[in-house]
Amino acid sequence: MAEAPTSFQLDIVTPDRCLYSGRAVRVSLPTAVGEIGVLPGHADLLSLLGTGVLTLKEDEYTQKRFFCRGGFVEVSGHGVAVLCDIAETEQDIDFARADQSRTRAEERLFSGSSDVDYARASASLSISSAVL
């Protein structure tokens, strides 16, 4: 009888660079329909990537976080490929800037002004809130 896998290959790439390539024992990530978790032996899956935080566990003690927005995730017998439109490591995120962006978006949305681009302000609020 074949032994169950204990880890899988995980690749996180953007059009500009590879943010991560290595083994993982678990990954959770946002999809267009909600957050999913992937463990070794997960069923094959292809989904649109949502906006939010991707968390991976390399082993029992090591965890890494990335912010991602848009793209695709593919889970197969070969591993997990996350193809992001935009992604940043936790160390690259400017949290002060994200907080300012969230504050500006909230002010615009709740101002009552007819000059506000509500779709843009709502998207900005969603993105900055996902980071924070």
Side-chain angles (χ1 to χ4, degrees), residues 48-92:
L48 289 171
L49 194 60
T51 298
V53 176
L54 179 153
T55 305
L56 74 93
K57 288 191 77 167
E58 291 180 313
D59 56 39
E60 186 178 338
Y61 306 104
T62 309
Q63 177 174 293
K64 295 183 178 183
R65 294 170 25 122
F66 301 85
F67 171 77
C68 57
R69 185 172 115 197
F72 297 91
V73 58
E74 178 187 25
V75 179
S76 70
H78 301 291
V80 178
V82 182
L83 312 170
C84 305
D85 293 337
I86 297 170
E88 294 180 300
T89 66
E90 192 171 22
Q91 294 79 17
D92 292 339

